[in-house]
Amino acid sequence: MNKDRKTEIARRRFLKGLVLGAGGSAVAAVPALPRTPSGRLGKVRYGMLIDLRKCVGCQSCSVACKSEFDVPLGVSRSWVEYVEKGVYPHVGRTFLPRLCNHCSDPPCVSVCPTGATYKREQDGIVVVDDGVCIGCKYCILACPYDARFLNPVTRFADKCDFCIHRVSKGLVPSCVNTCPAGARIFGDLNDPGSQISKTMARNRVSVLRPEMGTQPNVYYIGADHTEPGNVKRHEAGEVRVVTHRRDPERR
Amino acid sequence: MIEELDWGLLVIGYLFLAGVGAGAILVSAFLTLGAGEFGASRFAIARYGAFIAPLPVIVGTAMLVLELGRPFRALNLFKLINLSPMSVGSWFVGVFITVSLLYALTFIPRAAGFGDRLNRARRGLAWVCLPFGFAMAVYTAILIGAMPARPFWNSPAIVLLFVLSALSGGVASVMLALAVFHKPGGNPAVAEDRDKSAHALGSADAMLLLGELAIILLFLLFAQLSIGSVREAASVIHAGGALAAPFWGFVVLLGILIPAGMEMGVIAPKLLSGKLFNSYRAVEILAPVAILIGGFALRYVVVVAGQITGPISI
């Protein structure tokens, strides 16, 4: 009897997983992991969801990040790109906040020769260990999102770490905290009850450069994936990307 | 442009020097182990290769260490080994420098048959030098090829190109040493033997250069047959691209076509109609110099091209 009940539960769980999985692939990128009995999905997996319908491009996040970490001039952990397109009067401007994607399959980690860059087991945050990094810049080149830079002061690789010092104390990252539009949601993607998971389940989301196979954990609602190269298709009209970084080209 | 890049001239210089060192030791080891048609000058040529090989690798490695954010941190590379091509490569470099120095030591006594033991040590070390020479040439290309975010590098053609370029750079450096230091003097027997060796080296080099040309054409062809990022990345070396001038001028024309043409002109009479081989000192010096400049230009173009291109979508 007891055994039968267990099988029944296992079967139900399996079917549920199938349904969730099918739903997940249809909406693209909504995680469909099997639920544990407590409702939690195993380990914590931190992620961010940026709702670009709310973003006003005010750069508060960029500034908050700069001051949080004293990021030197000329480099940034978090930045906002402006995408302008169209020909007057049919024009539009959208914003694309950028940061480290804390990928589930991070290319920076696999190239690091010293193990200085690694993905934390407990929460999936990709970090750089200053004590081990040699500053070879391999990870900087391997990142498809140009999220990394060589810190001109420390001479080590540097990037967004989801404000690990705040998050470990139960606070949200500085950029999330400061966003006046409430466009950023930070939380545990493995917890179906978290605000980020619930919002993702209700909306169509996308990630940057999914073809790179990195499985980013930073998601966007309403992102405009227009590239300057798209002007070759004349229906796109004019496209101009302002990176707000020292490098005027989007990388 | 170059100072804006993460990997600049020091890294480019290292990739070139590591290739020359790897090529030189491969030529030397092949000769020590009895390959090719070489007469009495076999030992002398193997000796040049053995003496040349460690130098560029040591200088290049020093350049790499200086390029690091914190040079002394380079030791962290040897605290562990992981699957990063740079981690594996740093161990290869360590072994290569050690083995190539030991190998060079066995060549210090000038006479070929200086005791049986030394000869055995030389041959034994040559067997170790072969895989590590290839490993050096291959790993430098796998290092840059291991990044899908850099479509220009993420291609097996770059590995073949780097290996052939390393070999031709090694042959070129040995040819140059032969031309500069190995003068025939008045003895006709010595002069004939030297010419025989020059012919063998020249033929091998011409083959390597033509191989490089074939791989470059395949690389361009397949980039063109591809879509998206790869085609976009390869367009920087097409006519009008940012790197078209150094690529076609220095890599293809100066580094491959001109020296290959010079060498073919010298070796063809013997190869085709069995005429006596005539060596020309000008060719023996100019061809290797052109090849070495071309080898550096190849690393320059490839390393810069990989960094100024990337994924084209967002």
Side-chain angles (χ1 to χ4, degrees):
Chain A
M1 173 68 199
N2 197 16
K3 200 182 166 197
D4 280 352
R5 216 176 139 238
K6 263 190 192 157
T7 335
E8 176 60 18
I9 290 172
R11 200 166 66 104
R12 233 183 266 160
R13 228 179 257 158
F14 171 68
L15 286 174
K16 220 174 192 178
L18 268 188
V19 172
L20 278 173
S25 49
V27 198
V30 174
L33 296 165
R35 289 166 192 237
T36 51
S38 68
R40 276 287 290 275
L41 306 171
K43 284 178 190 155
V44 174
R45 180 161 63 96
Y46 281 132
M48 194 179 285
L49 176 62
I50 307 180
D51 188 345
L52 297 172
R53 299 168 303 187
K54 295 180 178 172
C55 177
V56 294
C58 68
Q59 302 277 6
S60 294
C61 45
S62 316
V63 175
C65 180
K66 273 268 180 194
S67 57
E68 187 76 29
F69 295 98
D70 237 345
V71 181
L73 284 177
V75 287
S76 32
R77 289 171 165 228
S78 170
W79 68 102
V80 182
E81 292 171 352
Y82 290 5
V83 182
E84 296 167 3
K85 62 178 183 178
V87 178
Y88 181 84
H90 306 293
V91 293
R93 178 195 239 182
T94 47
F95 311 110
L96 190 64
R98 303 275 305 266
L99 68 160
C100 171
N101 282 290
H102 297 275
C103 308
S104 292
D105 193 358
C108 51
V109 169
S110 53
V111 300
C112 180
T114 60
T117 276
Y118 59 96
K119 191 167 174 67
R120 287 183 10 139
E121 276 286 315
Q122 63 268 44
D123 53 17
I125 297 180
V126 177
V127 292
V128 185
D129 184 343
D130 265 10
V132 187
C133 176
I134 59 172
C136 69
K137 294 175 271 192
Y138 203 175
C139 56
I140 298 173
L141 287 167
C143 174
Y145 303 104
D146 201 26
R148 290 171 165 261
F149 54 90
L150 193 77
N151 188 310
V153 176
T154 63
R155 310 286 290 153
F156 299 129
D158 205 347
K159 69 170 192 75
C160 157
D161 63 358
F162 268 168
C163 279
I164 214 161
H165 61 294
R166 293 174 57 93
V167 170
S168 59
K169 292 187 175 70
L171 300 167
V172 292
S174 190
C175 57
V176 178
N177 181 54
T178 204
C179 181
R184 290 177 182 242
I185 305 171
F186 178 81
D188 179 8
L189 293 166
N190 278 355
D191 177 2
S194 66
Q195 195 198 348
I196 185 169
S197 295
K198 286 194 278 192
T199 315
M200 275 179 61
R202 284 197 304 264
N203 288 280
R204 182 179 174 142
V205 297
S206 63
V207 294
L208 299 184
R209 294 181 174 146
E211 74 282 1
M212 298 307 300
T214 52
Q215 302 176 51
N217 286 306
V218 173
Y219 291 86
Y220 296 89
I221 295 175
D224 187 346
H225 293 265
T226 305
E227 262 290 293
N230 291 156
V231 289
K232 284 177 192 158
R233 297 163 55 186
H234 86 102
E235 67 271 25
E238 296 285 316
V239 177
R240 191 164 77 105
V241 173
V242 184
T243 61
H244 295 115
R245 304 175 89 192
R246 192 157 60 181
D247 190 348
E249 298 273 320
R250 174 191 268 165
R251 300 275 175 209
Chain B
M1 179 161 71
I2 188 86
E3 59 277 355
E4 296 275 313
L5 301 176
D6 287 312
W7 283 352
L9 281 174
L10 289 172
V11 175
I12 295 167
Y14 165 76
L15 293 176
F16 166 67
L17 291 172
V20 172
I25 207 126
L26 286 173
V27 172
S28 175
F30 277 131
L31 265 84
T32 299
L33 297 172
E37 286 182 31
F38 293 89
S41 53
R42 173 187 295 276
F43 177 78
I45 296 172
R47 193 165 184 257
Y48 289 133
F51 283 167
I52 291 169
L55 291 177
V57 180
I58 291 171
V59 172
T61 307
M63 281 158 58
L64 264 197
V65 171
L66 286 179
E67 198 267 346
L68 288 182
R70 300 270 178 110
F72 289 107
R73 283 284 179 91
L75 292 171
N76 283 5
L77 284 168
F78 298 100
K79 286 183 184 162
L80 85 168
I81 183 162
N82 61 24
L83 284 179
S84 160
M86 193 181 283
S87 175
V88 177
S90 59
W91 286 93
F92 281 159
V93 173
V95 175
F96 183 93
I97 290 177
T98 314
V99 173
S100 65
L101 280 175
L102 287 175
Y103 180 65
L105 279 180
T106 66
F107 278 90
I108 288 178
R110 199 175 266 277
F114 190 87
D116 221 22
R117 265 172 120 181
L118 190 62
N119 205 21
R120 268 212 307 275
R122 197 179 288 141
R123 286 181 65 88
L125 283 167
W127 277 114
V128 184
C129 287
L130 277 184
F132 279 97
F134 271 114
M136 281 289 286
V138 169
Y139 112 81
T140 50
I142 294 179
L143 177 91
I144 62 171
M147 293 177 274
R150 308 262 75 88
F152 195 97
W153 294 342
N154 191 221
S155 155
I158 298 287
V159 178
L160 291 174
L161 198 54
F162 271 34
V163 170
L164 287 190
S165 172
L167 282 168
S168 76
V171 174
S173 63
V174 172
M175 277 169 83
L176 196 59
L178 190 73
V180 174
F181 300 115
H182 207 71
K183 298 204 176 95
N187 190 338
V190 172
E192 197 195 322
D193 181 62
R194 187 191 169 286
D195 275 1
K196 203 175 156 192
S197 302
H199 182 264
L201 284 176
S203 326
D205 208 29
M207 291 278 287
L208 290 168
L209 292 175
L210 294 179
E212 272 186 64
L213 197 63
I215 291 165
I216 286 174
L217 293 178
L218 281 174
F219 177 79
L220 287 171
L221 177 66
F222 273 81
Q224 195 57 33
L225 293 173
S226 169
I227 53 162
S229 305
V230 178
R231 182 149 71 176
E232 201 72 19
S235 72
V236 296
I237 55 172
H238 288 176
L243 292 163
F247 179 70
W248 293 103
F250 283 89
V251 178
V252 176
L253 188 64
L254 182 69
I256 296 177
L257 293 178
I258 289 177
M262 284 200 268
E263 282 169 349
M264 300 277 261
V266 176
I267 60 171
K270 185 182 171 186
L271 206 65
L272 298 178
S273 48
K275 283 182 188 156
L276 204 65
F277 175 70
N278 269 321
S279 67
Y280 297 94
R281 201 169 150 75
V283 170
E284 284 184 359
I285 292 178
L286 290 179
V289 169
I291 290 168
L292 291 172
I293 295 173
F296 179 80
L298 173 72
R299 300 328 190 279
Y300 176 89
V301 168
V302 170
V303 170
V304 174
Q307 293 180 82
I308 60 173
T309 56
I312 53 167
S313 67
I314 187 73

